[in-house]
Amino acid sequence: MTTQIYDFIGIGLGPFNLGLACLSQPFTQLKTLFLDEKAQFCWHQGMMLEGSTLQTPFMSDLVTMADPTSHYSFLNYLKQCDRLYQFYILEDFNPSRIEYNDYCRWAASQLSNIAFGERVEAVHYSTDEQTYHVETHIISSGETGHYQTKRLVLGGGTRPMFPKDCEHLAATASHTADYLKHKQSMQQTSSITLIGSGQSAAEVFYDLLCGMESHNYQLNWLTRSPLFFPLDCSKLTLEMTSPDYIDYFYYLVANTRDTLLAHQKPLFKGINHSLLVQIYRRLYAMSLDAPAKVRLITNSELVSGKYQAEQQYYNLRFHHLEQNQHFSLQSDALIFGTGYHYIEPEFLRPVRQRIAYRSCGRYDVSRDYAIDHNRREIFVQNAELHSHGFTAQDLGMGCYRNTRILEQILGFAPYRTEKSIAFQEFGMPSNT
């Protein structure tokens, strides 16, 4: 019996690898497989809040920026669901997070090269066969799956992140990633403290703010940032989500890239202006009768914390960064909106010698998103923030990255790729 050898196997099915599955579908010469341990597509399930929207327009779907004619576009999804005219009348470019998740499930349901419910346990490399052997655990049956492939595309996503000195609190506290799971129990307490100030934290804060009408809790929102800053969506700034800026950023020295990322948070970690307006209006309305039981505190970094199990509350200690003083806060419930970070999958351990690393221990990612020494076998999705910049996690740039990956696999450009779209020049002027 001949073993099927895939051209590539995608591990993990978030929007980026799902987009790759859709974009690779027309190329029948490719043998592909995508594996995910979840029972079905699910993206940020804990943040499916009513009214929450994407921070990018509907064109940042799985396929449109590579192939606007694709069957798997968001507009075709609307057409098939008989909602295209309603969406047209709505005149809102940003789909709700709930609708986007449903769109992704619609696309996944039409693909035959996806296997949900299979957790990848280990990847090995056969020098004789020059293929990777992928071993999985089939969750429904408990059996072991075995696959062979020439290449891998890692799309397992990022993990919830907690402040370095407070990681131990993850055992009892919540993260915005699983907010809805713990929402009701938190609202039964007398005080809730939220740490962090990105979009997800702001959405949770607003949701809890609205819940104060029926629950009488104290609500605290603290961030180490100097302000609750809005997402910078000015047009020339948005040109930085482009192939031009990736080229510029990629060829900077590593220390410069790290410094830039530290100062670019408003470009990818800011809060929608409309949400900030909603929050302020809500606070204003709540304060008409009496001071609201709400505290918003900036410049405050959580440096230590302890959960008092018997009393069932947290003792939290903060450092005010501008005044260089410490203060303490007690809270019955604690939720972190401190973002996500990439953790190298354990299943890669047997093939680590095939992966290129920088001296700092991070992946040495090629311009075309490969991390193996040969630069053509193992590709990454959203694990290249340090090398390619904040566009690594931008939904609107997913199609661009997938096109570059497919070009390396196919040996030709599968879709028309824009190389220069910006009016501005990011590097040294070319004609001086």
Side-chain angles (χ1 to χ4, degrees):
M1 181 177 176
T2 304
T3 302
Q4 167 85 342
I5 299 178
Y6 293 95
D7 289 296
F8 71 88
I9 288 179
I11 300 177
L13 269 167
F16 295 132
N17 255 2
L18 181 57
L20 181 61
C22 294
L23 289 172
S24 61
Q25 194 74 356
F27 301 95
T28 56
Q29 68 270 43
L30 283 180
K31 299 180 180 65
T32 66
L33 177 67
F34 292 82
L35 303 166
D36 195 285
E37 64 178 314
K38 298 188 295 289
Q40 62 177 335
F41 182 90
C42 185
W43 186 63
H44 293 316
Q45 187 66 27
M47 286 295 296
M48 291 297 163
L49 303 176
E50 185 177 349
S52 63
T53 65
L54 299 187
Q55 289 187 292
T56 52
F58 70 91
M59 289 175 65
S60 63
D61 63 10
L62 302 171
V63 293
T64 293
M65 296 301 284
D67 180 12
T69 68
S70 173
H71 168 78
Y72 303 101
S73 72
F74 180 75
L75 290 181
N76 189 45
Y77 154 78
L78 291 173
K79 187 67 173 178
Q80 301 305 316
C81 296
D82 296 322
R83 288 206 308 275
L84 185 57
Y85 275 96
Q86 292 172 333
F87 185 77
Y88 167 71
I89 294 169
L90 181 65
E91 292 187 330
D92 190 342
F93 262 33
N94 300 76
S96 71
R97 190 177 283 122
I98 293 173
E99 185 173 38
Y100 181 80
N101 191 64
D102 187 66
Y103 153 66
C104 288
R105 288 184 176 179
W106 168 83
S109 69
Q110 299 174 72
L111 297 169
S112 59
N113 58 345
I114 287 179
F116 286 109
E118 287 202 48
R119 182 176 64 246
V120 175
E121 299 286 350
V123 175
H124 298 271
Y125 184 76
S126 170
T127 306
D128 293 337
E129 299 169 309
Q130 294 189 329
T131 59
Y132 292 90
H133 290 241
V134 179
E135 181 180 308
T136 71
H137 173 74
I138 303 172
I139 296 172
S140 61
S141 66
E143 298 177 349
T144 300
H146 296 278
Y147 305 97
Q148 274 185 266
T149 182
K150 299 173 186 176
R151 304 171 190 87
L152 301 167
V153 182
L154 307 178
T158 52
R159 305 286 180 86
M161 182 168 61
F162 297 85
K164 184 178 179 181
D165 295 325
C166 298
E167 292 175 340
H168 61 283
L169 296 177
T172 53
S174 303
H175 191 277
T176 53
D178 56 6
Y179 166 66
L180 287 179
K181 180 180 177 181
H182 302 287
K183 175 183 173 180
Q184 288 187 348
S185 61
M186 286 193 295
Q187 289 186 311
Q188 302 307 314
T189 65
S190 60
S191 57
I192 305 172
T193 296
L194 171 64
I195 310 294
S197 59
Q199 177 70 11
S200 294
E203 289 178 1
V204 166
F205 177 76
Y206 183 68
D207 191 61
L208 290 171
L209 199 62
C210 294
M212 292 181 71
E213 286 186 359
S214 52
H215 299 85
N216 188 30
Y217 46 75
Q218 168 72 38
L219 181 58
N220 309 311
W221 188 13
L222 296 95
T223 176
R224 66 181 178 181
S225 298
L227 71 161
F228 297 98
F229 54 85
L231 187 71
D232 188 346
C233 291
S234 56
K235 298 307 178 187
L236 290 177
T237 298
L238 286 176
E239 281 197 335
M240 296 171 72
T241 55
S242 65
D244 310 58
Y245 190 74
I246 295 176
D247 278 331
Y248 169 71
F249 187 90
Y250 182 82
Y251 292 106
L252 294 172
V253 297
N255 288 342
T256 302
R257 292 199 301 258
D258 289 343
T259 301
L260 269 177
L261 283 172
H263 290 89
Q264 289 178 341
K265 290 182 180 180
L267 307 183
F268 64 106
K269 291 189 175 182
I271 305 167
N272 287 349
H273 175 76
S274 58
L275 179 57
L276 287 170
V277 171
Q278 285 180 285
I279 288 172
Y280 196 85
R281 283 178 175 168
R282 189 78 185 182
L283 288 168
Y284 182 83
M286 291 172 64
S287 66
L288 293 178
D289 296 327
K293 296 175 62 177
V294 178
R295 300 183 73 183
L296 289 83
I297 307 174
T298 58
N299 287 297
S300 299
E301 181 178 22
L302 180 62
V303 293
S304 65
K306 185 177 181 181
Y307 181 63
Q308 306 288 348
E310 290 186 7
Q311 296 89 352
Q312 295 186 329
Y313 66 79
Y314 293 87
N315 269 328
L316 306 173
R317 186 164 176 77
F318 294 86
H319 175 220
H320 194 281
L321 299 174
E322 290 185 349
Q323 294 184 321
N324 194 26
Q325 296 184 41
H326 290 82
F327 65 94
S328 297
L329 190 69
Q330 286 187 358
S331 182
D332 294 339
L334 177 63
I335 182 167
F336 290 94
T338 44
Y340 301 80
H341 62 154
Y342 181 82
I343 299 177
E344 183 175 307
E346 186 66 24
F347 61 71
L348 286 180
R349 183 179 292 273
V351 294
R352 289 192 91 240
Q353 73 280 3
R354 300 193 64 79
I355 297 175
Y357 295 92
R358 293 187 175 273
S359 58
C360 59
R362 298 182 294 197
Y363 292 144
D364 184 6
V365 190
S366 76
R367 178 60 183 83
D368 292 313
Y369 306 98
I371 60 171
D372 62 284
H373 290 290
N374 295 326
R375 305 316 226 182
R376 61 175 183 270
E377 297 173 5
I378 306 176
F379 299 89
V380 291
Q381 303 261 33
N382 197 12
E384 72 284 3
L385 179 68
H386 62 284
S387 59
H388 289 65
F390 68 92
T391 57
Q393 50 196 297
D394 190 287
L395 287 177
M397 295 301 293
C399 286
Y400 171 78
R401 176 173 50 213
N402 281 333
T403 299
R404 295 288 293 248
I405 292 173
L406 280 175
E407 183 174 352
Q408 298 305 302
I409 294 172
L410 287 165
F412 62 88
Y415 299 100
R416 185 182 180 91
T417 304
E418 294 83 357
K419 300 191 185 323
S420 180
I421 63 94
F423 290 110
Q424 61 191 295
E425 297 176 61
F426 296 111
M428 289 286 292
S430 55
N431 298 316
T432 56

